[in-house]
Amino acid sequence: SGSGEEGVSSGINAEYGQTEEKYSRAKTVNQILRHVGELLDYEDNKQLEDFYRRTAWFFDKKYATSGGSYERFKEAAQKPEVLDELDIDEHTKEFLLKEIKRKLTPQAVKVRADVEVACYAYEGIDAVKNALRAGLALSTEEVPLKINLIAPPVYVISVTLLNEEKGVEVVRKAMDAIKASIEAAEGNFNVKLEPKVVTDTDDKKLQEELDQRERAMQEVDGDDDEGEESDDDEDEDEEEDDE
């Protein structure tokens, strides 16, 4: 009976999720049309209702099985000609498109993965560099891949794109290329964090880690300089003793 209850429970959750999404989409469409109505100075509900009938309700009826007005509006953000089949004048269409773009233009997402890349065989650091280059070779203008060192041997592979699936796919391909290259040189490859979409907070945390590493490196360089200076002082002391 336990598994039966779980099945019912997950079914209810899935249904609730779909209802919630449906409500959220209807709310977005509603906000778009009401704001356009305000911008166009509609004076009564009759004008607004007529506007709904010519736009959202038209799309909801015609494309009921493929997402209705929300999906059409979303498509119009990239392809304005989608609105051409609506029975509205150019002035109204211009305001509607502007509001659709404001509310429904896709936001870029950042996909990130953390990997360990190391080689203790003969090629050592050169093998690591070659492996990272193999990953970066997949970077293009449309798909700007980045690879940053957090602290040896951990590297971050990231890309910022509008399409989340494409982002995950390209980061995975970079991981495969790095893995193949480093393992061919008898090095090691481990995944610390699978490719995932990161939030601004995650991003900020990563930037802090990189900044911290930068400061640590500068401090080490500083220590080396001091060490060299003290060696010089000792040499001078020795020379004075000889005299």
Side-chain angles (χ1 to χ4, degrees):
S1 72
S3 62
E5 283 169 15
E6 281 166 22
V8 170
S9 162
S10 63
I12 290 169
N13 287 341
E15 208 171 298
Y16 174 73
Q18 285 167 359
T19 308
E20 203 175 13
E21 188 184 10
K22 210 170 175 182
Y23 170 75
S24 168
R25 288 175 164 214
K27 191 179 170 187
T28 302
V29 169
N30 198 27
Q31 285 170 342
I32 289 169
L33 297 184
R34 282 194 170 277
H35 195 226
V36 173
E38 284 169 21
L39 294 171
L40 293 173
D41 295 326
Y42 286 171
E43 287 165 7
D44 54 36
N45 282 339
K46 199 168 180 299
Q47 274 181 297
L48 191 61
E49 191 178 316
D50 184 55
F51 182 45
Y52 268 80
R53 190 175 291 112
R54 291 165 183 270
T55 55
W57 296 349
F58 169 79
F59 277 152
D60 284 338
K61 192 174 177 184
K62 186 170 180 181
Y63 301 100
T65 56
S66 56
S69 56
Y70 179 85
E71 285 299 333
R72 295 291 78 69
F73 282 1
K74 199 172 160 190
E75 195 182 342
Q78 308 298 317
K79 298 180 190 167
E81 61 272 18
V82 167
L83 301 179
D84 288 350
E85 62 176 318
L86 296 178
D87 180 20
I88 54 176
D89 60 62
E90 286 303 318
H91 181 64
T92 305
K93 194 190 293 180
E94 194 182 312
F95 274 90
L96 177 58
L97 183 60
K98 210 171 183 179
E99 193 58 21
I100 285 172
K101 284 186 171 178
R102 196 177 72 84
K103 295 285 283 186
L104 290 176
T105 297
Q107 298 299 305
V109 293
K110 184 168 188 173
V111 176
R112 165 186 172 181
D114 295 3
V115 295
E116 282 184 359
V117 188
C119 182
Y120 305 107
Y122 176 71
E123 287 185 60
I125 191 72
D126 288 335
V128 173
K129 284 179 182 173
N130 290 338
L132 297 176
R133 281 193 199 107
L136 272 178
L138 296 167
S139 182
T140 63
E141 207 173 312
E142 290 81 32
V143 185
L145 263 178
K146 287 182 184 173
I147 299 180
N148 291 93
L149 171 67
I150 293 187
V154 183
Y155 295 84
V156 177
I157 307 167
S158 64
V159 68
T160 302
L161 287 177
L162 289 175
N163 185 325
E164 178 185 332
E165 283 173 27
K166 181 89 185 280
V168 170
E169 183 192 329
V170 77
V171 168
R172 274 203 190 285
K173 282 183 178 171
M175 289 164 74
D176 292 343
I178 293 168
K179 184 175 192 282
S181 176
I182 197 71
E183 287 182 353
E186 295 175 18
N188 307 326
F189 178 89
N190 288 306
V191 179
K192 297 277 287 178
L193 175 77
E194 288 287 350
K196 66 165 195 163
V197 171
V198 288
T199 61
D200 289 343
T201 314
D202 297 331
D203 222 20
K204 203 172 165 191
K205 197 173 165 215
L206 171 62
Q207 196 51 53
E208 281 168 10
E209 284 175 19
L210 294 174
D211 292 345
Q212 203 173 340
R213 185 185 155 270
E214 190 75 28
R215 283 195 297 274
M217 293 287 281
Q218 283 169 356
E219 281 167 21
V220 168
D221 289 347
D223 291 346
D224 289 349
D225 293 344
E226 282 169 24
E228 283 165 18
E229 280 169 23
S230 61
D231 288 348
D232 291 345
D233 292 344
E234 281 169 21
D235 292 344
E236 282 168 21
D237 291 344
E238 280 170 20
E239 279 168 22
E240 282 168 15
D241 291 344
D242 291 345
E243 286 168 17

PDB file of all heavy atoms in Angstrom, residues 40-52:
ATOM      1  N   LEU A  40      -2.187  52.443 -23.359  1.00  0.00           N
ATOM      2  CA  LEU A  40      -3.032  52.927 -24.462  1.00  0.00           C
ATOM      3  C   LEU A  40      -4.256  53.690 -23.956  1.00  0.00           C
ATOM      4  O   LEU A  40      -5.164  54.026 -24.735  1.00  0.00           O
ATOM      5  CB  LEU A  40      -3.476  51.747 -25.340  1.00  0.00           C
ATOM      6  CG  LEU A  40      -2.353  51.044 -26.119  1.00  0.00           C
ATOM      7  CD1 LEU A  40      -2.862  49.790 -26.805  1.00  0.00           C
ATOM      8  CD2 LEU A  40      -1.742  51.972 -27.166  1.00  0.00           C
ATOM      9  N   ASP A  41      -4.267  53.943 -22.641  1.00  0.00           N
ATOM     10  CA  ASP A  41      -5.356  54.737 -22.015  1.00  0.00           C
ATOM     11  C   ASP A  41      -6.749  54.160 -22.237  1.00  0.00           C
ATOM     12  O   ASP A  41      -7.694  54.899 -22.540  1.00  0.00           O
ATOM     13  CB  ASP A  41      -5.327  56.204 -22.522  1.00  0.00           C
ATOM     14  CG  ASP A  41      -4.060  56.921 -22.086  1.00  0.00           C
ATOM     15  OD1 ASP A  41      -3.586  56.618 -20.977  1.00  0.00           O
ATOM     16  OD2 ASP A  41      -3.539  57.753 -22.847  1.00  0.00           O
ATOM     17  N   TYR A  42      -6.881  52.822 -22.119  1.00  0.00           N
ATOM     18  CA  TYR A  42      -8.233  52.238 -22.202  1.00  0.00           C
ATOM     19  C   TYR A  42      -9.047  52.759 -21.023  1.00  0.00           C
ATOM     20  O   TYR A  42      -8.580  52.765 -19.887  1.00  0.00           O
ATOM     21  CB  TYR A  42      -8.157  50.706 -22.138  1.00  0.00           C
ATOM     22  CG  TYR A  42      -7.650  50.051 -23.410  1.00  0.00           C
ATOM     23  CD1 TYR A  42      -7.339  48.695 -23.453  1.00  0.00           C
ATOM     24  CD2 TYR A  42      -7.499  50.790 -24.583  1.00  0.00           C
ATOM     25  CE1 TYR A  42      -6.871  48.092 -24.615  1.00  0.00           C
ATOM     26  CE2 TYR A  42      -7.036  50.193 -25.752  1.00  0.00           C
ATOM     27  CZ  TYR A  42      -6.724  48.842 -25.752  1.00  0.00           C
ATOM     28  OH  TYR A  42      -6.261  48.263 -26.904  1.00  0.00           O
ATOM     29  N   GLU A  43     -10.251  53.198 -21.320  1.00  0.00           N
ATOM     30  CA  GLU A  43     -11.044  53.859 -20.283  1.00  0.00           C
ATOM     31  C   GLU A  43     -12.006  52.930 -19.553  1.00  0.00           C
ATOM     32  O   GLU A  43     -12.462  53.225 -18.467  1.00  0.00           O
ATOM     33  CB  GLU A  43     -11.822  55.040 -20.888  1.00  0.00           C
ATOM     34  CG  GLU A  43     -10.884  56.201 -21.209  1.00  0.00           C
ATOM     35  CD  GLU A  43     -11.511  57.237 -22.124  1.00  0.00           C
ATOM     36  OE1 GLU A  43     -12.719  57.122 -22.400  1.00  0.00           O
ATOM     37  OE2 GLU A  43     -10.795  58.149 -22.563  1.00  0.00           O
ATOM     38  N   ASP A  44     -12.345  51.804 -20.175  1.00  0.00           N
ATOM     39  CA  ASP A  44     -13.271  50.898 -19.474  1.00  0.00           C
ATOM     40  C   ASP A  44     -12.929  49.435 -19.760  1.00  0.00           C
ATOM     41  O   ASP A  44     -12.117  49.132 -20.632  1.00  0.00           O
ATOM     42  CB  ASP A  44     -14.730  51.189 -19.868  1.00  0.00           C
ATOM     43  CG  ASP A  44     -14.924  51.159 -21.382  1.00  0.00           C
ATOM     44  OD1 ASP A  44     -14.268  50.323 -22.034  1.00  0.00           O
ATOM     45  OD2 ASP A  44     -15.718  51.962 -21.915  1.00  0.00           O
ATOM     46  N   ASN A  45     -13.567  48.548 -19.010  1.00  0.00           N
ATOM     47  CA  ASN A  45     -13.316  47.110 -19.142  1.00  0.00           C
ATOM     48  C   ASN A  45     -13.731  46.571 -20.503  1.00  0.00           C
ATOM     49  O   ASN A  45     -13.210  45.556 -20.956  1.00  0.00           O
ATOM     50  CB  ASN A  45     -14.054  46.344 -18.039  1.00  0.00           C
ATOM     51  CG  ASN A  45     -13.297  46.465 -16.715  1.00  0.00           C
ATOM     52  OD1 ASN A  45     -12.107  46.756 -16.710  1.00  0.00           O
ATOM     53  ND2 ASN A  45     -13.997  46.275 -15.616  1.00  0.00           N
ATOM     54  N   LYS A  46     -14.690  47.246 -21.137  1.00  0.00           N
ATOM     55  CA  LYS A  46     -15.175  46.791 -22.443  1.00  0.00           C
ATOM     56  C   LYS A  46     -14.032  46.844 -23.473  1.00  0.00           C
ATOM     57  O   LYS A  46     -13.831  45.913 -24.250  1.00  0.00           O
ATOM     58  CB  LYS A  46     -16.343  47.672 -22.889  1.00  0.00           C
ATOM     59  CG  LYS A  46     -17.206  47.053 -23.959  1.00  0.00           C
ATOM     60  CD  LYS A  46     -18.500  47.848 -24.128  1.00  0.00           C
ATOM     61  CE  LYS A  46     -19.384  47.231 -25.205  1.00  0.00           C
ATOM     62  NZ  LYS A  46     -18.790  47.200 -26.520  1.00  0.00           N
ATOM     63  N   GLN A  47     -13.255  47.952 -23.432  1.00  0.00           N
ATOM     64  CA  GLN A  47     -12.112  48.077 -24.351  1.00  0.00           C
ATOM     65  C   GLN A  47     -11.066  47.000 -24.054  1.00  0.00           C
ATOM     66  O   GLN A  47     -10.507  46.393 -24.958  1.00  0.00           O
ATOM     67  CB  GLN A  47     -11.463  49.463 -24.178  1.00  0.00           C
ATOM     68  CG  GLN A  47     -12.101  50.557 -25.010  1.00  0.00           C
ATOM     69  CD  GLN A  47     -11.386  51.880 -24.786  1.00  0.00           C
ATOM     70  OE1 GLN A  47     -11.388  52.406 -23.671  1.00  0.00           O
ATOM     71  NE2 GLN A  47     -10.793  52.418 -25.830  1.00  0.00           N
ATOM     72  N   LEU A  48     -10.822  46.783 -22.771  1.00  0.00           N
ATOM     73  CA  LEU A  48      -9.829  45.794 -22.360  1.00  0.00           C
ATOM     74  C   LEU A  48     -10.270  44.391 -22.770  1.00  0.00           C
ATOM     75  O   LEU A  48      -9.471  43.603 -23.283  1.00  0.00           O
ATOM     76  CB  LEU A  48      -9.609  45.865 -20.839  1.00  0.00           C
ATOM     77  CG  LEU A  48      -8.407  45.080 -20.291  1.00  0.00           C
ATOM     78  CD1 LEU A  48      -7.101  45.606 -20.889  1.00  0.00           C
ATOM     79  CD2 LEU A  48      -8.346  45.180 -18.769  1.00  0.00           C
ATOM     80  N   GLU A  49     -11.566  44.115 -22.581  1.00  0.00           N
ATOM     81  CA  GLU A  49     -12.090  42.792 -22.936  1.00  0.00           C
ATOM     82  C   GLU A  49     -11.970  42.557 -24.437  1.00  0.00           C
ATOM     83  O   GLU A  49     -11.599  41.459 -24.886  1.00  0.00           O
ATOM     84  CB  GLU A  49     -13.559  42.694 -22.500  1.00  0.00           C
ATOM     85  CG  GLU A  49     -14.096  41.271 -22.591  1.00  0.00           C
ATOM     86  CD  GLU A  49     -15.536  41.155 -22.109  1.00  0.00           C
ATOM     87  OE1 GLU A  49     -15.873  41.746 -21.055  1.00  0.00           O
ATOM     88  OE2 GLU A  49     -16.317  40.477 -22.807  1.00  0.00           O
ATOM     89  N   ASP A  50     -12.232  43.597 -25.215  1.00  0.00           N
ATOM     90  CA  ASP A  50     -12.105  43.492 -26.667  1.00  0.00           C
ATOM     91  C   ASP A  50     -10.651  43.217 -27.062  1.00  0.00           C
ATOM     92  O   ASP A  50     -10.365  42.417 -27.964  1.00  0.00           O
ATOM     93  CB  ASP A  50     -12.583  44.799 -27.329  1.00  0.00           C
ATOM     94  CG  ASP A  50     -12.563  44.701 -28.845  1.00  0.00           C
ATOM     95  OD1 ASP A  50     -13.188  43.755 -29.382  1.00  0.00           O
ATOM     96  OD2 ASP A  50     -11.902  45.540 -29.491  1.00  0.00           O
ATOM     97  N   PHE A  51      -9.721  43.858 -26.345  1.00  0.00           N
ATOM     98  CA  PHE A  51      -8.282  43.667 -26.580  1.00  0.00           C
ATOM     99  C   PHE A  51      -7.895  42.212 -26.263  1.00  0.00           C
ATOM    100  O   PHE A  51      -7.154  41.579 -27.012  1.00  0.00           O
ATOM    101  CB  PHE A  51      -7.501  44.657 -25.703  1.00  0.00           C
ATOM    102  CG  PHE A  51      -6.009  44.609 -25.874  1.00  0.00           C
ATOM    103  CD1 PHE A  51      -5.422  44.547 -27.134  1.00  0.00           C
ATOM    104  CD2 PHE A  51      -5.166  44.630 -24.762  1.00  0.00           C
ATOM    105  CE1 PHE A  51      -4.037  44.512 -27.287  1.00  0.00           C
ATOM    106  CE2 PHE A  51      -3.789  44.597 -24.903  1.00  0.00           C
ATOM    107  CZ  PHE A  51      -3.225  44.526 -26.166  1.00  0.00           C
ATOM    108  N   TYR A  52      -8.409  41.673 -25.155  1.00  0.00           N
ATOM    109  CA  TYR A  52      -8.154  40.276 -24.779  1.00  0.00           C
ATOM    110  C   TYR A  52      -8.676  39.341 -25.880  1.00  0.00           C
ATOM    111  O   TYR A  52      -8.004  38.384 -26.265  1.00  0.00           O
ATOM    112  CB  TYR A  52      -8.882  39.936 -23.468  1.00  0.00           C
ATOM    113  CG  TYR A  52      -8.066  40.142 -22.222  1.00  0.00           C
ATOM    114  CD1 TYR A  52      -7.909  41.411 -21.661  1.00  0.00           C
ATOM    115  CD2 TYR A  52      -7.457  39.068 -21.576  1.00  0.00           C
ATOM    116  CE1 TYR A  52      -7.173  41.605 -20.505  1.00  0.00           C
ATOM    117  CE2 TYR A  52      -6.721  39.245 -20.412  1.00  0.00           C
ATOM    118  CZ  TYR A  52      -6.582  40.518 -19.874  1.00  0.00           C
ATOM    119  OH  TYR A  52      -5.841  40.698 -18.724  1.00  0.00           O
TER     120      TYR A  52
END
